[in-house]
Amino acid sequence: MSLKFGTSGLRGLSVDLEGPATALYATAFARHLLAAGLARQGDEILIGRDFRASSPAIAAIAIAALGKAGLSPRDCGALPTPALALLGLCRKAACLMVTGSHIPADRNGIKFYRPNGEIDKADEAAITAAAEAIRAEGLAFDAAQETADDLHDAALALYTARNRALLPEQALAGLRIGVYQHSTVARDLFVSVLVHYGADVVALGRSEDFIPVDTEAVSAETIALLQDWAAQHGLAAIVSADGDGDRPLVTDETGTPLRGDLLGLIASRFLGATAIATPVTSNSGIEAAVSGTVLRTRVGSPFVIAAMNEAVAAGETAVAGFEANGGTLTATPFTVNGHAVVALPTRDSLMPVLAVLALAAAENRPLSEIAAGFALPAAASDRLENMPVEASAALMAELRSGAGALSVFLAPIGVPAKVSDIDGLRVTLEDGNVIHFRPSGNAPEMRCYVEAGSEAAAARLLAAGLDRIRAFAASH
């Protein structure tokens, strides 16, 4: 079976999830909640989904299994993951979100939430153990589907109200903003919230077929599309999100995407965070760009949340986090625009989008100029797709086998000076450039992240890094 936990929930092939496997893992989740005292028999559990063709059936299978396991499912329909999580926090209800986020349409996934927020790695292990125990018991599962009471409107209303309170009225008046709608569940919400703030909104590229948009590695074809739209419509920015609406995408006035870690940095400043958790893959210039404490983590929201919780336990009162994709999390309440904003410790795309657009409106400067003003090292990232997990593991084992092996692998690129092994291998070269190799946690692909002194140098370094990965894959 293809299913396994990665950096963001359980992932696998849609054909597997559209069957008994979903019932098995939904039942395992229910057992874990009940055994850990996180839920009681009859407690409600919220189910949401994205727009993938397989998601309605998977959600219906989960609803049937959760009901049989003793919980009371509530159907929240197609909506952004942060909207589902927010309603769960407010109702003190566990949640299950059916989404594969940005990965290809033949795959899907499930994200799990306790009543107090995202599950952590210990929860993942417990759910996996419960699934194995159920298998050992020989319990038979089918793909039975059920419906449940509808809470879709309540979830969207709560999330919409949160985002309509972040900025002053008409804060975005005068900005002409494109919304790349594709197949993200956040597409209509983006339009309504931006219009609420007075923006002139142009809806673009709506699709009824699922389009896997990876906001951390935007494809060349997508960038060309965005740049054409920006020129054609005279846009100040184009905004969008991934499939389940928890990772933001913002372009400048030329249609060129801004780095996700820059979006997270701007969002953290917007909130007034004094402690910030972010993965090692985020730009190394962040420490110099903030006045507070920066906590570096492994890649994945569970690690960012763990670091935020440690900061709260240490007495920090304004704690936020963000991933390199720009998804922004909060571990403490904040007061923004005179309104209390409750903590939402899961990735959110809309708040960082609003923070960036508000900055552009307030400074009355193009986003390309604002981005350049942060003077972060030039960074780039991409991935080699369809690289077998075994090949990725073999590459990482070789690079970790000793300084000699790493030096040989990097010889065409540069000389290693410093190595970080927090997540993957992040190598600082003698010339000060950075190259980072990391297998994806939820897809058969190897990611490469680089930093250099200029955009051109970063592009060359990224191309060289991907070439080294391809050469290794071809020889193994």
Side-chain angles (χ1 to χ4, degrees):
M1 187 178 294
S2 65
L3 305 185
K4 71 170 187 174
F5 280 100
T7 56
S8 188
L10 188 74
R11 297 284 174 84
L13 295 173
S14 298
V15 293
D16 288 339
L17 283 163
E18 287 183 276
T22 288
L24 169 65
Y25 276 94
T27 302
F29 181 43
R31 283 196 179 187
H32 169 56
L33 291 171
L34 294 168
L38 297 168
R40 295 175 298 179
Q41 289 284 333
D43 280 359
E44 69 177 11
I45 183 168
L46 313 181
I47 296 90
R49 63 181 183 272
D50 66 14
F51 283 141
R52 291 167 188 266
S54 60
S55 292
I58 296 170
I61 294 169
I63 287 171
L66 291 167
K68 290 177 183 176
L71 300 178
S72 300
R74 302 288 185 264
D75 187 1
C76 293
L79 80 173
T81 294
L84 180 72
L86 181 62
L87 184 65
L89 288 168
C90 289
R91 296 175 74 101
K92 296 180 173 57
C95 305
L96 185 153
M97 178 72 182
V98 178
T99 179
S101 186
H102 62 280
I103 61 177
D106 65 336
R107 297 174 178 271
N108 212 326
I110 300 174
K111 294 179 180 179
F112 301 94
Y113 288 79
R114 300 179 309 214
N116 61 346
E118 278 192 42
I119 63 170
D120 58 23
K121 290 299 178 181
D123 292 312
E124 288 181 5
I127 295 167
T128 301
E132 291 302 324
I134 291 168
R135 287 194 185 100
E137 292 169 14
L139 293 182
F141 288 95
D142 57 25
Q145 301 182 23
E146 294 286 349
T147 59
D149 292 345
D150 188 346
L151 286 182
H152 177 263
D153 290 349
L156 273 188
L158 183 66
Y159 185 60
T160 300
R162 174 188 180 88
N163 287 287
R164 286 187 173 185
L166 293 175
L167 305 180
E169 290 186 11
Q170 297 298 300
L172 304 181
L175 291 184
R176 186 171 174 80
I177 302 168
V179 174
Y180 177 28
Q181 294 195 305
H182 63 95
S183 51
T184 176
V185 284
R187 58 191 181 187
D188 294 325
L189 188 64
F190 269 112
V191 172
S192 66
V193 171
L194 295 178
V195 168
H196 168 77
Y197 286 122
D200 177 12
V201 177
V202 181
L204 304 162
R206 190 181 184 94
S207 173
E208 297 310 312
D209 296 321
F210 186 80
I211 299 174
V213 174
D214 185 348
T215 65
E216 194 174 353
V218 185
S219 69
E221 295 78 10
T222 299
I223 292 174
L225 196 63
L226 296 169
Q227 291 175 337
D228 285 346
W229 281 332
Q232 177 184 348
H233 297 285
L235 303 173
I238 299 174
V239 302
S240 190
D242 63 338
D244 66 319
D246 69 348
R247 305 180 183 203
L249 173 64
V250 180
T251 80
D252 64 17
E253 72 282 1
T254 72
T256 302
L258 302 180
R259 292 275 307 176
D261 42 21
L262 175 60
L263 306 183
L265 171 59
I266 293 172
S268 298
R269 285 184 167 187
F270 170 78
L271 291 169
T274 57
I276 301 164
T278 194
V280 66
T281 50
S282 291
N283 197 289
S284 62
I286 287 169
E287 278 79 355
V290 300
S291 57
T293 302
V294 178
L295 309 169
R296 292 288 181 165
T297 76
R298 292 180 61 188
V299 174
S301 54
F303 300 109
V304 174
I305 292 168
M308 291 195 303
N309 289 340
E310 290 173 8
V312 172
E316 295 285 352
T317 57
V319 182
F322 60 86
E323 297 195 56
N325 54 50
T328 301
L329 312 87
T330 52
T332 59
F334 288 89
T335 299
V336 181
N337 186 37
H339 295 275
V341 180
V342 300
L344 182 57
T346 195
R347 281 192 305 260
D348 185 17
S349 67
L350 195 45
M351 191 271 286
V353 165
L354 292 175
V356 172
L357 295 178
L359 181 62
E363 297 194 359
N364 193 27
R365 291 193 295 152
L367 276 174
S368 61
E369 185 179 317
I370 290 173
F374 280 86
L376 297 176
S381 63
D382 204 347
R383 65 196 190 278
L384 184 62
E385 297 181 280
N386 301 315
M387 182 167 177
V389 172
E390 297 78 10
S392 295
L395 172 58
M396 298 310 298
E398 179 166 324
L399 296 183
R400 290 187 171 110
S401 65
L406 182 61
S407 295
V408 169
F409 184 81
L410 290 175
I413 296 174
V415 178
K418 185 172 65 173
V419 179
S420 168
D421 203 2
I422 292 177
D423 196 347
L425 280 179
R426 187 174 180 87
V427 183
T428 302
L429 304 173
E430 284 189 345
D431 61 6
N433 291 341
V434 174
I435 187 163
H436 183 171
F437 301 104
R438 175 184 163 271
S440 172
N442 49 41
E445 57 192 37
M446 174 67 78
R447 291 185 179 269
C448 182
Y449 312 81
V450 302
E451 291 182 9
S454 68
E455 297 290 343
R460 290 193 297 269
L461 182 57
L462 179 60
L466 292 172
D467 283 345
R468 297 302 296 138
I469 297 171
R470 289 190 190 94
F472 179 90
S475 64
H476 288 74

